[in-house]
Structure formats: C-alpha cells, structure tokens
Amino acid sequence: MELQAPALYQVDSTIHSVDLTKDDYSIFVGNITNTFIRGSIELKKVDAGGAPLAGATFGVWEAAANPTTDSPLQTVVSDGFGKIAFTNLLLGDYQIKEIEAPAGYMLNDAIHDVTLTTAVTNFDIGNIVNEQLRGSIHLTKV
C-alpha cells in the first residue's frame, strides 16, 4: 500500500501482496498509477432580494488566462435553484466570471479568483447578485 503520493496526486490505497523467499532479490509488484486530486467550484446566482436565478452562464479560466479574450475551460448555466458547479478541476488557481446574465438582468462583470489546494478541494463562492434591468421613459409635452 502506498503511504504517500507525489504532490497533487491521490494515495493509491490498494494492498499489493507478494510472496518472498530467501532467494528473491527483487520483486516486481506491477505498475501503480496515481490519479490527480480534483476539485470543484460552486456558486449561487440570485437577484437583489436573494431569490435564485436560472439561466445565467458562467465560465472558469485558469488564473493566467484573460476572460475577456480567452475561451473558458468550462461553461455552466445556472439551474432553477440558481446553482452553478464547475467540477473535475485540477488543483490550482482559477478565475470565475459571468458570461451571460439571465433575461431581464444586468451582467455582473466581477471576476472571482479561486485557489483549489489539497486543503481546499471544493470551494463555494457563495451568492452572486444580478440587478434587474430598469428602463426609463422620457415624455415631452407639446
């Protein structure tokens, strides 16, 4: 059984049995494959009153990328509960940004920086608020 894995990898807890004799000088147990530790980033899309908003599209980028010009690694649309989850992410630094607001709401263009580590593999950004679009009417009396 592996006691410690390389950095950013999961420990392989498989027990490998071997039979040793006095004439054995080396034993090949086989290939042991480690898998990367992966994480997730979650958020909830809400209106100014805290009600969940469906239909918001968010993207996730590596920290070195430019969300204005580079394509996102993943895009997710908020569900009926306002939930967004980016899953299966390698540990590292990321940027989260809204790409498209729900119908009738203004785009929230804030960029949220997130770091996934072995200590924090799942990060919840919390609520991200959209303000409702408001119009105005200008009347001229003649």
Side-chain angles (χ1 to χ4, degrees):
M1 179 166 87
E2 183 176 45
L3 299 177
Q4 183 176 352
L8 306 180
Y9 287 88
Q10 295 177 349
V11 170
D12 179 357
S13 60
T14 306
I15 296 175
H16 302 274
S17 299
V18 294
D19 292 321
L20 297 175
T21 65
K22 65 179 182 160
D23 297 324
D24 291 329
Y25 294 103
S26 68
I27 295 178
F28 179 69
V29 176
N31 292 327
I32 299 172
T33 304
N34 288 104
T35 56
F36 282 109
I37 298 171
R38 297 192 179 260
S40 65
I41 301 170
E42 298 179 357
L43 63 95
K44 185 175 181 184
K45 193 64 185 171
V46 298
D47 67 12
L53 292 175
T57 303
F58 277 79
V60 60
W61 291 261
E62 291 178 338
N66 181 340
T68 304
T69 58
D70 297 331
S71 297
L73 299 170
Q74 294 179 29
T75 59
V76 178
V77 178
S78 60
D79 64 16
F81 301 102
K83 293 284 186 178
I84 297 259
F86 297 102
T87 60
N88 204 29
L89 297 170
L90 295 174
L91 302 185
D93 299 321
Y94 294 96
Q95 299 176 80
I96 308 296
K97 185 177 184 299
E98 186 172 25
I99 298 170
E100 185 177 338
Y105 289 85
M106 295 187 314
L107 183 72
N108 181 327
D109 61 358
I111 295 175
H112 305 272
D113 296 318
V114 175
T115 299
L116 298 178
T117 66
T118 54
V120 180
T121 56
N122 300 302
F123 190 90
D124 187 351
I125 293 173
N127 291 348
I128 297 181
V129 179
N130 276 93
E131 297 293 331
Q132 205 166 18
L133 288 172
R134 306 244 184 239
S136 63
I137 299 175
H138 179 73
L139 297 173
T140 304
K141 187 174 179 180
V142 286

